[in-house]
Amino acid sequence: LLGADPTFHLTFDQRFIHPNTRLRNDAGLAVADLAYLDGALPADHNLRATGIVGAGALRVDANGVLFGGGAPGTFAHGNGPFSLAFWAKLDAANSSMGLWIGKSDNLSRLMLRPTSVAAEFTDKADLNATTANLVGAWQHVLLTYDGATRILYLNGAEIGRDSIAPNTLDTAAGGLIAAGGAGYLDDVRVYRYALNAYEAKALAETGWLRADTAQTRAAEAATTWSASVPAGLEGFYELQ
């Protein structure tokens, strides 16, 4: 079970997601100028795709970027703890997806690449976890930071941690989020606290995939069983 709700949450479940128009923050706080920017696509192009959580996802191509500022209170403040999480499916070996808070010259970032997941803080050592090939399938990535320890999760399992001093992020008036490369993005979340391992697992288990049921009916069968009555029996239960 998850604790407090995220301050920032993109579900991409709306019916239409057009280039260069504002996106909806489903956490309830304003998103300001957050939009998927892509000058190569017509204004009426629908970027909505089938999602891994809920109904929709954002289709990302190499020409576009999800970018913008959040309203006050949406992102983590200063040196406070935070968690960054998203689902992504990379299309190609040169694709990547990232989510960060702060500004371009001073940020804290979670990155998903074809064979790694990383936590990157400006002017700090990176926390990088090498993985198997992640291209072509949905992956859930999560970075938690409590002000002293960074922890990376992939699909609900911890894959790396380190101890590091915080950045002084200028997020009281805004923040940044971005996705680059080619693929799909879904269920983007920012929390103002560090999720624990149980919450990380719960987030990763929110995904669903289409399942095909068998079209042929199994042959009917019957079975019987019996058991001796135990000594001292004072009651019984009938199973239907």
Side-chain angles (χ1 to χ4, degrees), residues 125-140:
D126 294 341
L127 172 59
N128 190 74
T130 302
T131 67
N133 187 359
L134 303 176
V135 174
W138 282 103
Q139 313 292 342
H140 185 263

Side-chain angles (χ1 to χ4, degrees), residues 67-72 75-78 82 84 99-110 120-123 167-178:
F67 186 83
F75 294 98
H77 287 265
F82 63 86
L84 309 177
L99 169 61
W100 64 77
I101 55 175
K103 294 186 176 180
S104 58
D105 60 348
N106 188 12
L107 56 82
S108 295
R109 175 167 57 196
L110 169 63
E120 300 170 352
F121 287 18
T122 299
D123 297 328
N167 285 353
T168 302
L169 301 176
D170 181 11
T171 58
L176 300 176
I177 174 176

Side-chain angles (χ1 to χ4, degrees), residues 18 28 38 45 48 56 62 69 77 96 113 119 124 135 156 190 194 208 211:
H18 297 306
D38 193 331
H45 184 82
R48 186 181 183 274
H77 287 265
S96 64
R113 298 184 174 95
K124 303 288 198 308
V135 174
V190 176
W208 58 268

Side-chain angles (χ1 to χ4, degrees), residues 189-214:
R189 295 170 178 252
V190 176
Y191 294 84
R192 289 199 296 175
Y193 70 99
L195 298 177
N196 61 39
Y198 298 104
E199 292 170 313
K201 187 173 185 292
L203 273 184
E205 290 176 347
T206 58
W208 58 268
L209 296 174
R210 184 183 302 277
D212 295 323
T213 56

Side-chain angles (χ1 to χ4, degrees), residues 10-94:
L10 295 177
T11 64
F12 307 111
D13 287 343
Q14 55 264 47
R15 292 185 61 189
F16 299 99
I17 303 175
H18 297 306
N20 311 314
T21 57
R22 293 185 181 184
L23 293 168
R24 185 180 71 210
N25 177 13
D26 290 282
L29 297 176
V31 184
D33 297 323
L34 181 66
Y36 183 75
L37 308 178
D38 193 331
L41 296 175
D44 61 349
H45 184 82
N46 191 6
L47 294 159
R48 186 181 183 274
T50 300
I52 183 69
V53 178
L58 175 69
R59 170 64 184 170
V60 179
D61 66 29
N63 298 314
V65 61
L66 182 62
F67 186 83
T74 301
F75 294 98
H77 287 265
N79 297 343
F82 63 86
S83 298
L84 309 177
F86 61 87
W87 282 93
K89 182 165 68 171
L90 304 178
D91 269 0
N94 61 348

